[in-house]
Amino acid sequence: QVQLVESGGGRVQPGGSLTVSCAASGFTFSNYYMSWVRQAPGKGPQWLSGITSGGSITYYADSVKGRFTISRDNAKNTLFLQLNNLKPEDTALYYCARVAPLQGWKIDYWGQGTQVTVSS
């Protein structure tokens, strides 16, 4: 079955950096677009970034463009999100998500999330 397992979250000071990872299994990872989504306390999910199956094209929400970088290693079935210049408002649960084929950026599977807390 499809499994997406995030890791790498933690507490970081404002201005700091962190890289979160997602280990994928149960499907042919290299065939799928992937996304990162976050959810802050009391708020709805926010799409952050997406990447094509081969990794050559990336997309970002305006709120994180220039600060976050999405990448993937298809040989290791792993998705990454590098978070730089973190702000307190970046505090959220960060989810890895598989994009459903041929349906825009609609998500068909989510991971369990990894917590990122930005606080001094």
Side-chain angles (χ1 to χ4, degrees):
Q1 69 278 21
V2 173
Q3 286 195 319
L4 300 168
V5 180
E6 299 92 338
S7 61
R11 181 178 295 272
V12 62
Q13 292 188 342
S17 298
L18 202 63
T19 298
V20 292
S21 303
C22 171
S25 62
F27 65 103
T28 304
F29 180 70
S30 59
N31 286 353
Y32 287 83
Y33 286 25
M34 299 292 294
S35 281
W36 285 98
V37 180
R38 71 183 178 190
Q39 187 164 14
K43 296 187 177 181
Q46 178 191 13
W47 181 87
L48 299 175
S49 182
I51 188 168
T52 54
S53 55
S56 60
I57 303 175
T58 57
Y59 304 86
Y60 297 94
D62 288 344
S63 59
V64 303
K65 195 175 296 181
R67 298 192 300 125
F68 291 6
T69 303
I70 190 172
S71 62
R72 66 191 296 162
D73 184 339
N74 284 345
K76 296 183 178 179
N77 293 344
T78 305
L79 181 72
F80 302 97
L81 185 68
Q82 182 177 353
L83 294 70
N84 294 326
N85 190 21
L86 283 161
K87 306 174 182 180
E89 53 264 41
D90 293 318
T91 295
L93 198 57
Y94 283 70
Y95 295 94
C96 166
R98 193 181 82 168
V99 177
L102 305 177
Q103 298 186 52
W105 287 101
K106 182 179 178 181
I107 291 166
D108 60 3
Y109 286 94
W110 300 69
Q112 84 291 345
T114 186
Q115 178 68 40
V116 173
T117 302
V118 184
S119 172
S120 55

